[in-house]
Amino acid sequence: WWSWGWTDNALESHIHRFALDGDNTVYAASGKVPGWQWSQFALDEQDGLLRVATTDEDWWWGTNSAETGSGVYVLEESGTELNVIGSVNGIAPGEMIQGVRFVDDIAWLVTFLQVDPLFAIDLSEPTAPAVIGELEIPGFSRYLHPLEGGYLLTVGMDGTEDGTLTGFAVKLFDVRDPTQPTLMDSLTVSSDDWSWS
């Protein structure tokens, strides 16, 4: 479904779509977006459109630029091409995506350098995605899981304001108003900074 490579000295993801028809797998279309995806949750399809969250940072080679960041792209199939019809770029310059989850018309995006910004990105207008909310707290969330009633459960690492990780943590966010996400509760499961999920 995707691969990554270098083009014009920039890391990009090549995305390929296939139609599954019984026992047959048929090539449908291809496209590309800047950066790379952290996990399978960085891709999502809704109403025939593909939404993709990427980080431009080239952490593979240890480089880090405050001028790059993350982005969310919306692609539409046209013939054999997947064309970008909308995007929002430059999210959290100098940071990498740690977790992402698409829930209906909202993309929840977590980046990390010293603190954990939880971003809400409005995708209701596919040609004009926009960051509409942000919450900064210590640590970061790796896995984001939507709960009924407008809540978000996350699993990741707790931390301090200076970016020191202090243990494995589970957090609950109230995201009923995506313009003002709030932390409701947090449980540090292990104070061992080597714990992970």
Side-chain angles (χ1 to χ4, degrees), residues 121-157:
I121 299 159
D122 184 4
L123 298 168
S124 60
E125 180 50 62
T127 58
V131 176
I132 59 170
E134 178 181 350
L135 173 66
E136 287 194 0
I137 57 174
F140 63 84
S141 300
R142 180 78 74 196
Y143 173 74
L144 294 75
H145 190 87
L147 300 177
E148 291 183 10
Y151 300 94
L152 194 65
L153 180 72
T154 69
V155 177
M157 299 295 287

PDB file of all heavy atoms in Angstrom, residues 121-157:
ATOM      1  N   ILE A 121      -7.118  18.191  13.738  1.00  0.00           N
ATOM      2  CA  ILE A 121      -7.098  18.700  12.372  1.00  0.00           C
ATOM      3  C   ILE A 121      -8.450  18.422  11.738  1.00  0.00           C
ATOM      4  O   ILE A 121      -8.899  17.280  11.665  1.00  0.00           O
ATOM      5  CB  ILE A 121      -5.963  18.047  11.565  1.00  0.00           C
ATOM      6  CG1 ILE A 121      -4.626  18.389  12.242  1.00  0.00           C
ATOM      7  CG2 ILE A 121      -5.983  18.496  10.123  1.00  0.00           C
ATOM      8  CD1 ILE A 121      -3.515  17.468  11.906  1.00  0.00           C
ATOM      9  N   ASP A 122      -9.102  19.493  11.309  1.00  0.00           N
ATOM     10  CA  ASP A 122     -10.431  19.406  10.716  1.00  0.00           C
ATOM     11  C   ASP A 122     -10.314  19.008   9.249  1.00  0.00           C
ATOM     12  O   ASP A 122      -9.657  19.693   8.461  1.00  0.00           O
ATOM     13  CB  ASP A 122     -11.134  20.760  10.841  1.00  0.00           C
ATOM     14  CG  ASP A 122     -12.562  20.726  10.335  1.00  0.00           C
ATOM     15  OD1 ASP A 122     -13.052  19.645   9.946  1.00  0.00           O
ATOM     16  OD2 ASP A 122     -13.203  21.797  10.325  1.00  0.00           O
ATOM     17  N   LEU A 123     -10.962  17.884   8.891  1.00  0.00           N
ATOM     18  CA  LEU A 123     -10.943  17.391   7.513  1.00  0.00           C
ATOM     19  C   LEU A 123     -12.330  17.425   6.884  1.00  0.00           C
ATOM     20  O   LEU A 123     -12.569  16.772   5.868  1.00  0.00           O
ATOM     21  CB  LEU A 123     -10.395  15.963   7.487  1.00  0.00           C
ATOM     22  CG  LEU A 123      -8.959  15.784   7.976  1.00  0.00           C
ATOM     23  CD1 LEU A 123      -8.649  14.308   8.183  1.00  0.00           C
ATOM     24  CD2 LEU A 123      -7.982  16.401   7.002  1.00  0.00           C
ATOM     25  N   SER A 124     -13.247  18.183   7.479  1.00  0.00           N
ATOM     26  CA  SER A 124     -14.613  18.224   6.956  1.00  0.00           C
ATOM     27  C   SER A 124     -14.666  18.823   5.562  1.00  0.00           C
ATOM     28  O   SER A 124     -15.555  18.500   4.777  1.00  0.00           O
ATOM     29  CB  SER A 124     -15.531  18.992   7.911  1.00  0.00           C
ATOM     30  OG  SER A 124     -15.072  20.317   8.080  1.00  0.00           O
ATOM     31  N   GLU A 125     -13.731  19.729   5.258  1.00  0.00           N
ATOM     32  CA  GLU A 125     -13.575  20.247   3.896  1.00  0.00           C
ATOM     33  C   GLU A 125     -12.287  19.651   3.342  1.00  0.00           C
ATOM     34  O   GLU A 125     -11.196  20.164   3.615  1.00  0.00           O
ATOM     35  CB  GLU A 125     -13.511  21.771   3.899  1.00  0.00           C
ATOM     36  CG  GLU A 125     -13.339  22.394   2.523  1.00  0.00           C
ATOM     37  CD  GLU A 125     -14.335  21.876   1.498  1.00  0.00           C
ATOM     38  OE1 GLU A 125     -15.542  22.061   1.694  1.00  0.00           O
ATOM     39  OE2 GLU A 125     -13.886  21.245   0.511  1.00  0.00           O
ATOM     40  N   PRO A 126     -12.384  18.560   2.568  1.00  0.00           N
ATOM     41  CA  PRO A 126     -11.181  17.832   2.153  1.00  0.00           C
ATOM     42  C   PRO A 126     -10.155  18.677   1.400  1.00  0.00           C
ATOM     43  O   PRO A 126      -8.963  18.372   1.443  1.00  0.00           O
ATOM     44  CB  PRO A 126     -11.732  16.720   1.251  1.00  0.00           C
ATOM     45  CG  PRO A 126     -13.151  16.546   1.676  1.00  0.00           C
ATOM     46  CD  PRO A 126     -13.609  17.918   2.083  1.00  0.00           C
ATOM     47  N   THR A 127     -10.587  19.710   0.717  1.00  0.00           N
ATOM     48  CA  THR A 127      -9.641  20.537  -0.037  1.00  0.00           C
ATOM     49  C   THR A 127      -8.970  21.594   0.829  1.00  0.00           C
ATOM     50  O   THR A 127      -8.070  22.287   0.358  1.00  0.00           O
ATOM     51  CB  THR A 127     -10.348  21.229  -1.216  1.00  0.00           C
ATOM     52  OG1 THR A 127     -11.426  22.034  -0.714  1.00  0.00           O
ATOM     53  CG2 THR A 127     -10.883  20.203  -2.208  1.00  0.00           C
ATOM     54  N   ALA A 128      -9.394  21.698   2.086  1.00  0.00           N
ATOM     55  CA  ALA A 128      -8.810  22.728   2.959  1.00  0.00           C
ATOM     56  C   ALA A 128      -8.686  22.234   4.396  1.00  0.00           C
ATOM     57  O   ALA A 128      -9.317  22.782   5.305  1.00  0.00           O
ATOM     58  CB  ALA A 128      -9.652  24.001   2.904  1.00  0.00           C
ATOM     59  N   PRO A 129      -7.875  21.182   4.663  1.00  0.00           N
ATOM     60  CA  PRO A 129      -7.669  20.742   6.046  1.00  0.00           C
ATOM     61  C   PRO A 129      -7.065  21.867   6.881  1.00  0.00           C
ATOM     62  O   PRO A 129      -6.313  22.704   6.364  1.00  0.00           O
ATOM     63  CB  PRO A 129      -6.670  19.583   5.899  1.00  0.00           C
ATOM     64  CG  PRO A 129      -6.744  19.166   4.477  1.00  0.00           C
ATOM     65  CD  PRO A 129      -7.091  20.405   3.700  1.00  0.00           C
ATOM     66  N   ALA A 130      -7.399  21.890   8.174  1.00  0.00           N
ATOM     67  CA  ALA A 130      -6.904  22.971   9.034  1.00  0.00           C
ATOM     68  C   ALA A 130      -6.728  22.484  10.458  1.00  0.00           C
ATOM     69  O   ALA A 130      -7.544  21.699  10.963  1.00  0.00           O
ATOM     70  CB  ALA A 130      -7.875  24.153   9.011  1.00  0.00           C
ATOM     71  N   VAL A 131      -5.669  22.950  11.121  1.00  0.00           N
ATOM     72  CA  VAL A 131      -5.466  22.682  12.542  1.00  0.00           C
ATOM     73  C   VAL A 131      -6.436  23.566  13.309  1.00  0.00           C
ATOM     74  O   VAL A 131      -6.421  24.790  13.163  1.00  0.00           O
ATOM     75  CB  VAL A 131      -4.019  22.979  12.966  1.00  0.00           C
ATOM     76  CG1 VAL A 131      -3.855  22.775  14.472  1.00  0.00           C
ATOM     77  CG2 VAL A 131      -3.037  22.102  12.202  1.00  0.00           C
ATOM     78  N   ILE A 132      -7.299  22.953  14.124  1.00  0.00           N
ATOM     79  CA  ILE A 132      -8.301  23.735  14.852  1.00  0.00           C
ATOM     80  C   ILE A 132      -8.133  23.662  16.362  1.00  0.00           C
ATOM     81  O   ILE A 132      -8.768  24.425  17.092  1.00  0.00           O
ATOM     82  CB  ILE A 132      -9.738  23.304  14.475  1.00  0.00           C
ATOM     83  CG1 ILE A 132      -9.969  21.816  14.790  1.00  0.00           C
ATOM     84  CG2 ILE A 132     -10.025  23.609  13.008  1.00  0.00           C
ATOM     85  CD1 ILE A 132     -11.411  21.379  14.674  1.00  0.00           C
ATOM     86  N   GLY A 133      -7.293  22.755  16.866  1.00  0.00           N
ATOM     87  CA  GLY A 133      -7.103  22.636  18.304  1.00  0.00           C
ATOM     88  C   GLY A 133      -5.734  22.069  18.624  1.00  0.00           C
ATOM     89  O   GLY A 133      -5.130  21.371  17.812  1.00  0.00           O
ATOM     90  N   GLU A 134      -5.239  22.396  19.841  1.00  0.00           N
ATOM     91  CA  GLU A 134      -3.929  21.904  20.261  1.00  0.00           C
ATOM     92  C   GLU A 134      -3.856  21.903  21.778  1.00  0.00           C
ATOM     93  O   GLU A 134      -4.351  22.818  22.434  1.00  0.00           O
ATOM     94  CB  GLU A 134      -2.834  22.807  19.689  1.00  0.00           C
ATOM     95  CG  GLU A 134      -1.428  22.416  20.089  1.00  0.00           C
ATOM     96  CD  GLU A 134      -0.376  23.339  19.519  1.00  0.00           C
ATOM     97  OE1 GLU A 134      -0.703  24.179  18.652  1.00  0.00           O
ATOM     98  OE2 GLU A 134       0.791  23.234  19.952  1.00  0.00           O
ATOM     99  N   LEU A 135      -3.251  20.854  22.322  1.00  0.00           N
ATOM    100  CA  LEU A 135      -3.031  20.745  23.758  1.00  0.00           C
ATOM    101  C   LEU A 135      -1.610  20.249  23.990  1.00  0.00           C
ATOM    102  O   LEU A 135      -1.215  19.220  23.440  1.00  0.00           O
ATOM    103  CB  LEU A 135      -4.031  19.762  24.385  1.00  0.00           C
ATOM    104  CG  LEU A 135      -3.817  19.423  25.864  1.00  0.00           C
ATOM    105  CD1 LEU A 135      -4.039  20.662  26.734  1.00  0.00           C
ATOM    106  CD2 LEU A 135      -4.724  18.288  26.292  1.00  0.00           C
ATOM    107  N   GLU A 136      -0.832  20.973  24.804  1.00  0.00           N
ATOM    108  CA  GLU A 136       0.538  20.557  25.115  1.00  0.00           C
ATOM    109  C   GLU A 136       0.601  20.033  26.544  1.00  0.00           C
ATOM    110  O   GLU A 136       0.174  20.705  27.477  1.00  0.00           O
ATOM    111  CB  GLU A 136       1.505  21.723  24.944  1.00  0.00           C
ATOM    112  CG  GLU A 136       1.756  22.087  23.499  1.00  0.00           C
ATOM    113  CD  GLU A 136       2.951  22.997  23.327  1.00  0.00           C
ATOM    114  OE1 GLU A 136       3.589  23.340  24.337  1.00  0.00           O
ATOM    115  OE2 GLU A 136       3.248  23.373  22.179  1.00  0.00           O
ATOM    116  N   ILE A 137       1.137  18.798  26.676  1.00  0.00           N
ATOM    117  CA  ILE A 137       1.346  18.185  27.986  1.00  0.00           C
ATOM    118  C   ILE A 137       2.659  17.411  27.929  1.00  0.00           C
ATOM    119  O   ILE A 137       3.131  17.062  26.840  1.00  0.00           O
ATOM    120  CB  ILE A 137       0.190  17.240  28.376  1.00  0.00           C
ATOM    121  CG1 ILE A 137       0.003  16.152  27.320  1.00  0.00           C
ATOM    122  CG2 ILE A 137      -1.097  18.005  28.608  1.00  0.00           C
ATOM    123  CD1 ILE A 137      -1.006  15.107  27.707  1.00  0.00           C
ATOM    124  N   PRO A 138       3.286  17.132  29.068  1.00  0.00           N
ATOM    125  CA  PRO A 138       4.547  16.372  29.060  1.00  0.00           C
ATOM    126  C   PRO A 138       4.348  14.953  28.547  1.00  0.00           C
ATOM    127  O   PRO A 138       3.265  14.371  28.656  1.00  0.00           O
ATOM    128  CB  PRO A 138       4.967  16.368  30.535  1.00  0.00           C
ATOM    129  CG  PRO A 138       4.248  17.518  31.141  1.00  0.00           C
ATOM    130  CD  PRO A 138       2.942  17.610  30.410  1.00  0.00           C
ATOM    131  N   GLY A 139       5.412  14.375  27.994  1.00  0.00           N
ATOM    132  CA  GLY A 139       5.358  13.013  27.482  1.00  0.00           C
ATOM    133  C   GLY A 139       4.775  12.967  26.082  1.00  0.00           C
ATOM    134  O   GLY A 139       4.717  13.969  25.384  1.00  0.00           O
ATOM    135  N   PHE A 140       4.351  11.768  25.668  1.00  0.00           N
ATOM    136  CA  PHE A 140       3.715  11.639  24.365  1.00  0.00           C
ATOM    137  C   PHE A 140       2.821  10.415  24.346  1.00  0.00           C
ATOM    138  O   PHE A 140       2.947   9.514  25.164  1.00  0.00           O
ATOM    139  CB  PHE A 140       4.754  11.552  23.238  1.00  0.00           C
ATOM    140  CG  PHE A 140       5.650  10.350  23.296  1.00  0.00           C
ATOM    141  CD1 PHE A 140       5.256   9.136  22.758  1.00  0.00           C
ATOM    142  CD2 PHE A 140       6.908  10.439  23.882  1.00  0.00           C
ATOM    143  CE1 PHE A 140       6.087   8.028  22.809  1.00  0.00           C
ATOM    144  CE2 PHE A 140       7.743   9.337  23.935  1.00  0.00           C
ATOM    145  CZ  PHE A 140       7.336   8.131  23.401  1.00  0.00           C
ATOM    146  N   SER A 141       1.904  10.393  23.398  1.00  0.00           N
ATOM    147  CA  SER A 141       0.988   9.266  23.210  1.00  0.00           C
ATOM    148  C   SER A 141       1.381   8.542  21.934  1.00  0.00           C
ATOM    149  O   SER A 141       1.577   9.159  20.891  1.00  0.00           O
ATOM    150  CB  SER A 141      -0.452   9.763  23.109  1.00  0.00           C
ATOM    151  OG  SER A 141      -0.820  10.459  24.284  1.00  0.00           O
ATOM    152  N   ARG A 142       1.489   7.209  22.016  1.00  0.00           N
ATOM    153  CA  ARG A 142       1.869   6.401  20.856  1.00  0.00           C
ATOM    154  C   ARG A 142       0.643   5.804  20.165  1.00  0.00           C
ATOM    155  O   ARG A 142       0.583   5.730  18.954  1.00  0.00           O
ATOM    156  CB  ARG A 142       2.802   5.283  21.322  1.00  0.00           C
ATOM    157  CG  ARG A 142       3.268   4.375  20.230  1.00  0.00           C
ATOM    158  CD  ARG A 142       4.358   4.971  19.390  1.00  0.00           C
ATOM    159  NE  ARG A 142       5.600   4.961  20.142  1.00  0.00           N
ATOM    160  CZ  ARG A 142       6.660   5.682  19.809  1.00  0.00           C
ATOM    161  NH1 ARG A 142       6.618   6.466  18.771  1.00  0.00           N
ATOM    162  NH2 ARG A 142       7.760   5.622  20.521  1.00  0.00           N
ATOM    163  N   TYR A 143      -0.327   5.349  20.973  1.00  0.00           N
ATOM    164  CA  TYR A 143      -1.538   4.744  20.424  1.00  0.00           C
ATOM    165  C   TYR A 143      -2.740   5.557  20.887  1.00  0.00           C
ATOM    166  O   TYR A 143      -2.874   5.864  22.079  1.00  0.00           O
ATOM    167  CB  TYR A 143      -1.668   3.295  20.891  1.00  0.00           C
ATOM    168  CG  TYR A 143      -2.978   2.655  20.493  1.00  0.00           C
ATOM    169  CD1 TYR A 143      -3.208   2.279  19.175  1.00  0.00           C
ATOM    170  CD2 TYR A 143      -3.984   2.430  21.424  1.00  0.00           C
ATOM    171  CE1 TYR A 143      -4.413   1.705  18.797  1.00  0.00           C
ATOM    172  CE2 TYR A 143      -5.183   1.849  21.060  1.00  0.00           C
ATOM    173  CZ  TYR A 143      -5.395   1.483  19.737  1.00  0.00           C
ATOM    174  OH  TYR A 143      -6.575   0.920  19.365  1.00  0.00           O
ATOM    175  N   LEU A 144      -3.624   5.920  19.948  1.00  0.00           N
ATOM    176  CA  LEU A 144      -4.810   6.715  20.249  1.00  0.00           C
ATOM    177  C   LEU A 144      -6.044   5.902  19.891  1.00  0.00           C
ATOM    178  O   LEU A 144      -6.128   5.354  18.777  1.00  0.00           O
ATOM    179  CB  LEU A 144      -4.804   8.021  19.451  1.00  0.00           C
ATOM    180  CG  LEU A 144      -3.726   9.054  19.766  1.00  0.00           C
ATOM    181  CD1 LEU A 144      -2.374   8.650  19.202  1.00  0.00           C
ATOM    182  CD2 LEU A 144      -4.110  10.403  19.184  1.00  0.00           C
ATOM    183  N   HIS A 145      -6.987   5.825  20.820  1.00  0.00           N
ATOM    184  CA  HIS A 145      -8.175   5.009  20.601  1.00  0.00           C
ATOM    185  C   HIS A 145      -9.430   5.820  20.923  1.00  0.00           C
ATOM    186  O   HIS A 145      -9.605   6.275  22.056  1.00  0.00           O
ATOM    187  CB  HIS A 145      -8.132   3.760  21.484  1.00  0.00           C
ATOM    188  CG  HIS A 145      -9.187   2.771  21.144  1.00  0.00           C
ATOM    189  ND1 HIS A 145      -9.005   1.809  20.166  1.00  0.00           N
ATOM    190  CD2 HIS A 145     -10.444   2.602  21.619  1.00  0.00           C
ATOM    191  CE1 HIS A 145     -10.111   1.088  20.072  1.00  0.00           C
ATOM    192  NE2 HIS A 145     -10.997   1.546  20.947  1.00  0.00           N
ATOM    193  N   PRO A 146     -10.313   6.028  19.922  1.00  0.00           N
ATOM    194  CA  PRO A 146     -11.543   6.800  20.178  1.00  0.00           C
ATOM    195  C   PRO A 146     -12.523   6.010  21.029  1.00  0.00           C
ATOM    196  O   PRO A 146     -12.696   4.800  20.842  1.00  0.00           O
ATOM    197  CB  PRO A 146     -12.098   7.042  18.767  1.00  0.00           C
ATOM    198  CG  PRO A 146     -11.550   5.915  17.940  1.00  0.00           C
ATOM    199  CD  PRO A 146     -10.207   5.573  18.526  1.00  0.00           C
ATOM    200  N   LEU A 147     -13.162   6.707  21.976  1.00  0.00           N
ATOM    201  CA  LEU A 147     -14.197   6.116  22.813  1.00  0.00           C
ATOM    202  C   LEU A 147     -15.528   6.815  22.529  1.00  0.00           C
ATOM    203  O   LEU A 147     -15.550   7.956  22.059  1.00  0.00           O
ATOM    204  CB  LEU A 147     -13.851   6.268  24.298  1.00  0.00           C
ATOM    205  CG  LEU A 147     -12.539   5.625  24.762  1.00  0.00           C
ATOM    206  CD1 LEU A 147     -12.314   5.925  26.239  1.00  0.00           C
ATOM    207  CD2 LEU A 147     -12.561   4.117  24.526  1.00  0.00           C
ATOM    208  N   GLU A 148     -16.621   6.144  22.836  1.00  0.00           N
ATOM    209  CA  GLU A 148     -17.935   6.736  22.619  1.00  0.00           C
ATOM    210  C   GLU A 148     -18.107   8.008  23.433  1.00  0.00           C
ATOM    211  O   GLU A 148     -17.534   8.159  24.519  1.00  0.00           O
ATOM    212  CB  GLU A 148     -19.029   5.737  22.995  1.00  0.00           C
ATOM    213  CG  GLU A 148     -19.132   4.543  22.051  1.00  0.00           C
ATOM    214  CD  GLU A 148     -20.277   3.635  22.416  1.00  0.00           C
ATOM    215  OE1 GLU A 148     -21.095   4.017  23.277  1.00  0.00           O
ATOM    216  OE2 GLU A 148     -20.353   2.536  21.848  1.00  0.00           O
ATOM    217  N   GLY A 149     -18.876   8.914  22.906  1.00  0.00           N
ATOM    218  CA  GLY A 149     -19.227  10.128  23.636  1.00  0.00           C
ATOM    219  C   GLY A 149     -18.241  11.261  23.476  1.00  0.00           C
ATOM    220  O   GLY A 149     -18.380  12.303  24.130  1.00  0.00           O
ATOM    221  N   GLY A 150     -17.215  11.099  22.646  1.00  0.00           N
ATOM    222  CA  GLY A 150     -16.281  12.186  22.408  1.00  0.00           C
ATOM    223  C   GLY A 150     -15.058  12.177  23.301  1.00  0.00           C
ATOM    224  O   GLY A 150     -14.583  13.227  23.747  1.00  0.00           O
ATOM    225  N   TYR A 151     -14.531  10.977  23.570  1.00  0.00           N
ATOM    226  CA  TYR A 151     -13.330  10.850  24.401  1.00  0.00           C
ATOM    227  C   TYR A 151     -12.243  10.100  23.630  1.00  0.00           C
ATOM    228  O   TYR A 151     -12.533   9.355  22.685  1.00  0.00           O
ATOM    229  CB  TYR A 151     -13.657  10.137  25.711  1.00  0.00           C
ATOM    230  CG  TYR A 151     -14.680  10.875  26.522  1.00  0.00           C
ATOM    231  CD1 TYR A 151     -16.033  10.551  26.416  1.00  0.00           C
ATOM    232  CD2 TYR A 151     -14.309  11.923  27.356  1.00  0.00           C
ATOM    233  CE1 TYR A 151     -16.986  11.256  27.131  1.00  0.00           C
ATOM    234  CE2 TYR A 151     -15.263  12.630  28.073  1.00  0.00           C
ATOM    235  CZ  TYR A 151     -16.597  12.288  27.959  1.00  0.00           C
ATOM    236  OH  TYR A 151     -17.546  12.998  28.662  1.00  0.00           O
ATOM    237  N   LEU A 152     -11.011  10.297  24.040  1.00  0.00           N
ATOM    238  CA  LEU A 152      -9.871   9.681  23.391  1.00  0.00           C
ATOM    239  C   LEU A 152      -8.986   9.053  24.456  1.00  0.00           C
ATOM    240  O   LEU A 152      -8.538   9.736  25.381  1.00  0.00           O
ATOM    241  CB  LEU A 152      -9.096  10.746  22.605  1.00  0.00           C
ATOM    242  CG  LEU A 152      -8.057  10.288  21.595  1.00  0.00           C
ATOM    243  CD1 LEU A 152      -8.720   9.531  20.443  1.00  0.00           C
ATOM    244  CD2 LEU A 152      -7.304  11.500  21.040  1.00  0.00           C
ATOM    245  N   LEU A 153      -8.750   7.745  24.346  1.00  0.00           N
ATOM    246  CA  LEU A 153      -7.868   7.028  25.263  1.00  0.00           C
ATOM    247  C   LEU A 153      -6.521   6.873  24.577  1.00  0.00           C
ATOM    248  O   LEU A 153      -6.452   6.479  23.411  1.00  0.00           O
ATOM    249  CB  LEU A 153      -8.450   5.650  25.577  1.00  0.00           C
ATOM    250  CG  LEU A 153      -7.638   4.774  26.538  1.00  0.00           C
ATOM    251  CD1 LEU A 153      -7.738   5.323  27.954  1.00  0.00           C
ATOM    252  CD2 LEU A 153      -8.129   3.331  26.475  1.00  0.00           C
ATOM    253  N   THR A 154      -5.441   7.204  25.283  1.00  0.00           N
ATOM    254  CA  THR A 154      -4.119   7.096  24.669  1.00  0.00           C
ATOM    255  C   THR A 154      -3.180   6.264  25.541  1.00  0.00           C
ATOM    256  O   THR A 154      -3.326   6.210  26.757  1.00  0.00           O
ATOM    257  CB  THR A 154      -3.474   8.482  24.437  1.00  0.00           C
ATOM    258  OG1 THR A 154      -3.130   9.071  25.693  1.00  0.00           O
ATOM    259  CG2 THR A 154      -4.419   9.403  23.675  1.00  0.00           C
ATOM    260  N   VAL A 155      -2.225   5.633  24.866  1.00  0.00           N
ATOM    261  CA  VAL A 155      -1.201   4.845  25.535  1.00  0.00           C
ATOM    262  C   VAL A 155       0.141   5.383  25.064  1.00  0.00           C
ATOM    263  O   VAL A 155       0.364   5.570  23.873  1.00  0.00           O
ATOM    264  CB  VAL A 155      -1.327   3.350  25.172  1.00  0.00           C
ATOM    265  CG1 VAL A 155      -0.210   2.547  25.810  1.00  0.00           C
ATOM    266  CG2 VAL A 155      -2.685   2.812  25.580  1.00  0.00           C
ATOM    267  N   GLY A 156       1.042   5.652  26.008  1.00  0.00           N
ATOM    268  CA  GLY A 156       2.342   6.186  25.628  1.00  0.00           C
ATOM    269  C   GLY A 156       3.258   6.335  26.824  1.00  0.00           C
ATOM    270  O   GLY A 156       3.269   5.491  27.708  1.00  0.00           O
ATOM    271  N   MET A 157       3.989   7.443  26.843  1.00  0.00           N
ATOM    272  CA  MET A 157       4.962   7.688  27.898  1.00  0.00           C
ATOM    273  C   MET A 157       4.678   9.015  28.587  1.00  0.00           C
ATOM    274  O   MET A 157       4.366  10.005  27.926  1.00  0.00           O
ATOM    275  CB  MET A 157       6.374   7.704  27.324  1.00  0.00           C
ATOM    276  CG  MET A 157       6.801   6.397  26.675  1.00  0.00           C
ATOM    277  SD  MET A 157       6.930   5.020  27.823  1.00  0.00           S
ATOM    278  CE  MET A 157       8.434   5.477  28.695  1.00  0.00           C
TER     279      MET A 157
END
